[in-house]
Amino acid sequence: MMTLLKLLTFPVSAPLSGIFWIGEQLSERANTELNDKENLQKQLLALQLAFDLGDISEEEFEIQEEELLLQIQAMEEAED
């Protein structure tokens, strides 16, 4: 009986299922990008702390800082 019901409602339920799937994929992608950006910002803060504590040299700090800032900038430009 359920199989017959699924078969009869397939023309309506299939597009709806597809729309829900697309929505879930978009949501997952947005969360992943947000998490990536947050992780980069956390890495930047950790880098600043390591520099402030004297764990890394100024030269190493500047190199790593530039790499992180470029990654953050690229993500922000990709959003636009």
Side-chain angles (χ1 to χ4, degrees), residues 16-57:
L16 290 176
S17 297
I19 290 171
F20 286 126
W21 181 82
I22 290 171
E24 289 172 0
Q25 297 302 312
L26 290 173
S27 177
E28 287 177 19
R29 176 73 186 246
N31 287 335
T32 300
E33 288 181 7
L34 179 61
N35 289 338
D36 288 345
K37 189 174 178 182
E38 286 178 8
N39 286 334
L40 289 173
Q41 290 172 340
K42 287 178 184 178
Q43 289 176 17
L44 190 58
L45 288 173
L47 181 66
Q48 180 68 47
L49 182 60
F51 175 69
D52 290 344
L53 294 174
D55 294 341
I56 60 172
S57 68

